Amino acid sequence: MTENTSGGAPEPAGPPGPSKSPEPSGVDLARVALRAAKDAARARGDAAQQKKQARRGGLRSGARADGRDPMALGSAINRLITERGWEAPAAVGGVMGRWPQIVGEDVAKHCVPEKYDEDERVLTVRCDSTAWATNLRLLAPTLVARLNEDLGHGRVTLIKVQGPGGPARRYGPLRAPGSTGPGDTYG
């Protein structure tokens, strides 16, 4: 049974029904409005305080952390990489630094990554002999899968394998026109 607040006879309790969440009363609504007003006033006060400090000769750091405090070098670099959109080149640069762990020591001794074209998503690798260039061409699909596993799907679509670079061409009386030099040194 519930009591009647008007001071009369007690009223019988109604049939039990599904419990509903109580709607906010006037006091609850007033608390929410007061909290919002305090937050807005605090924000206006902080902005006014910063303006006043700037006029007096610069902002000063206080006991609390704010956007002007120094940040760790790693955090600053990560923020710069994200803001500039350098995630893919930075990730590929990390792969070039870890090349021996990714491809294995034997392959890394003879094949070196040279450059990465972000637009075409092509990694160019130079080998020190034509035999290693052929071997790497056969391993290329496996390496592309391994690199994409490490970097994220679709970062590398093709590995362009180049053979050894030959000596600089010298033109002179003892050279045959159109000669490419020894056969094994050119891819």
Side-chain angles (χ1 to χ4, degrees):
M1 290 192 166
T2 60
E3 265 184 56
N4 188 354
T5 56
S6 62
E11 293 180 7
S19 63
K20 295 181 182 178
S21 61
E23 292 188 23
S25 66
V27 174
D28 294 330
L29 290 174
R31 284 185 185 143
V32 170
L34 179 62
R35 187 177 308 126
K38 282 183 177 180
D39 290 342
R42 187 175 299 119
R44 281 193 310 272
D46 289 345
Q49 182 70 18
Q50 286 180 356
K51 284 182 183 177
K52 191 161 64 169
Q53 283 180 349
R55 277 183 294 208
R56 275 196 252 148
L59 298 172
R60 293 178 182 86
S61 182
R64 295 187 189 133
D66 61 9
R68 297 170 290 128
D69 287 343
M71 64 173 45
L73 181 63
S75 300
I77 290 174
N78 287 339
R79 184 171 144 195
L80 179 69
I81 287 172
T82 303
E83 286 174 356
R84 303 283 172 114
W86 294 342
E87 290 94 356
V92 172
V95 164
M96 289 185 178
R98 294 179 289 123
W99 184 251
Q101 290 90 12
I102 293 172
V103 298
E105 293 293 327
D106 270 350
V107 176
K109 287 179 188 174
H110 301 282
C111 304
V112 179
E114 282 192 340
K115 66 179 179 177
Y116 173 71
D117 184 3
E118 186 178 356
D119 297 331
E120 296 180 16
R121 298 178 185 239
V122 174
L123 179 66
T124 304
V125 179
R126 178 153 320 266
C127 298
D128 61 0
S129 71
T130 55
W132 277 102
T134 303
N135 189 17
L136 194 66
R137 283 185 190 104
L138 295 173
L139 290 173
T142 306
L143 288 178
V144 167
R146 194 177 300 165
L147 289 169
N148 283 331
E149 193 176 287
D150 193 359
L151 297 172
H153 183 68
R155 292 278 189 202
V156 178
T157 58
L158 178 70
I159 294 180
K160 187 186 286 186
V161 180
Q162 295 180 341
R169 284 191 159 178
R170 288 178 262 149
Y171 297 101
L174 301 176
R175 302 286 302 179
S179 170
T180 58
D184 191 43
T185 58
Y186 294 87

